[in-house]
Amino acid sequence: MNTNPSPWRLSATSWLWPKSLSENLRRIASWKLPVSEVALLFYQHAPSLAYLPKEFEPGRGLSSHVHLPLDLPWDDGPRAVWELLDRLMAVPGALSPWGGVLHPPAQPDRLAGVARIWREAAPGWRLMVENIPGQDLRAHWPVVQEYDLPVCLDVGHQMAFDQDWLLDAPDLFERVELVHCYAPGMVKQRHEHLSLTELSPSQRRIIKGILARLGPDTRILFEVFSESDLRGSLETFYALCRELSQESGAK
C-alpha cells in the first residue's frame, strides 16, 4: 500500500492519534504509506500561535498546508484578519506550508478585503477558500474571480448540503488546488467525517466524477481523524482510481 496509483499528492490530517502534534507528525513522516503531505489543523488561533518550532521538527520531509482558524476576528476588519493569517502561516517554520484553507465569512466584501491584501502582499503561499455549510461560495464567486482566488473543494460539504451548483461554476476546476475527501454520511444538511469506505453508490459516482475533472497538480486531503479511517479511505480511493482508469481506457 505504499504506491500511489494516482497523479495527485496525498495528504493526511495532523490529528490521527490522540497524541501531541509532534508525535502525529513523527508517525506520518515515518510510515510506509503514499502520504507525503500533512494538513496542520489550526482550528483556533490562540493555541495555534502558541506552537513552538520544535513541535514541527518531526514532520521534516513532509510538505504541508494549514487549515486556518474558525475564530478569525472578521469584525475587526480585513487588516486585523490578514495580520493574524500572516502570523499563523509562519508558525510551522521549517515545514513551510504552501497554502492555507480559509472558511469564508458570511459577507463577501469581508473576503474581498482580505483577498486584496493577500494579493498586494504576495506572501508566497496560496489563500484557498472552502465551500462550507451555509456558504456554498455562490455569493462569493465574484470575489473569487476578481482576486483570482484558488479553491479548496470539500466534497463532503458539497454532497451533504446540496451544493451542486458549485461543480458547474465557471472555471471551478481550474481553481481547485486542494480537495477535502471523505464520506459525509447519509443525512442531508448534516455531515460527518467518515472513511471513504462509507460512501454510498451515488456518492462514489459523484467523487469519481470530481476526480475525473481534477488537474494533476491538485492535492487530495483525506479529511478523517484516525489511522484506521485513513487506511480505509486509501483503499477505496485506489479502487476509484482503478475504475477511472478502466473507464478511460474503454472509451
Side-chain angles (χ1 to χ4, degrees), residues 3-251:
T3 301
N4 179 4
S6 82
W8 305 294
R9 182 186 291 269
L10 306 182
S11 307
T13 66
S14 62
W15 179 263
L16 292 175
W17 301 274
K19 304 287 184 180
S20 66
L21 171 64
S22 59
E23 178 61 16
N24 273 269
L25 293 179
R26 185 192 68 76
R27 294 186 184 193
I28 294 169
S30 64
W31 64 13
K32 302 299 183 184
L33 291 178
V35 171
S36 57
E37 182 166 312
V38 63
L40 300 169
L41 305 181
F42 287 5
Y43 289 151
Q44 295 178 302
H45 74 269
S48 300
L49 287 171
Y51 282 125
L52 300 175
K54 65 181 182 180
E55 294 177 88
F56 299 92
E57 288 295 321
R60 280 189 175 276
L62 297 170
S63 59
S64 75
H65 66 270
V66 171
H67 193 302
L68 295 164
L70 309 182
D71 60 350
L72 294 171
W74 292 105
D75 290 342
D76 296 339
R79 179 60 60 179
V81 173
W82 167 254
E83 290 177 355
L84 183 54
L85 296 182
D86 198 38
R87 290 172 61 197
L88 285 161
M89 291 298 290
V91 167
L95 283 190
S96 187
W98 64 268
V101 176
L102 181 69
H103 280 203
Q107 301 91 336
D109 62 315
R110 291 185 172 186
L111 175 62
V114 172
R116 185 181 304 114
I117 298 172
W118 171 69
R119 275 289 169 207
E120 293 169 353
W125 49 266
R126 307 291 286 161
L127 181 64
M128 295 171 280
V129 291
E130 179 185 350
N131 57 303
I132 60 175
Q135 299 291 342
D136 65 1
L137 297 184
R138 189 190 298 266
H140 298 75
W141 207 251
V143 176
V144 169
Q145 293 182 309
E146 180 178 357
Y147 293 98
D148 195 21
L149 291 173
V151 169
C152 168
L153 175 60
D154 189 302
V155 299
H157 294 159
Q158 185 271 322
M159 292 188 288
F161 297 97
D162 297 319
Q163 298 177 350
D164 298 334
W165 91 273
L166 187 56
L167 300 185
D168 295 320
D171 64 10
L172 170 70
F173 285 94
E174 297 169 22
R175 298 187 180 281
V176 174
E177 298 186 5
L178 178 67
V179 173
H180 285 177
C181 198
Y182 58 94
M186 298 303 298
V187 181
K188 284 293 186 180
Q189 304 305 312
R190 289 177 50 193
H191 78 296
E192 301 176 78
H193 286 260
L194 306 174
S195 167
L196 291 179
T197 58
E198 301 301 315
L199 289 171
S200 70
S202 62
Q203 290 171 339
R204 284 177 67 97
R205 287 193 295 272
I206 291 171
I207 290 186
K208 196 161 59 173
I210 289 171
L211 294 177
R213 299 174 69 184
L214 294 179
D217 295 329
T218 306
R219 320 286 181 105
I220 307 287
L221 170 65
F222 300 106
E223 201 178 26
V224 295
F225 305 102
S226 73
E227 181 182 355
S228 60
D229 282 351
L230 176 64
R231 289 181 179 273
S233 293
L234 282 168
E235 293 291 359
T236 299
F237 175 74
Y238 298 159
L240 292 172
C241 289
R242 287 193 295 269
E243 291 171 17
L244 273 176
S245 179
Q246 291 166 0
E247 291 168 7
S248 176
K251 291 180 181 178

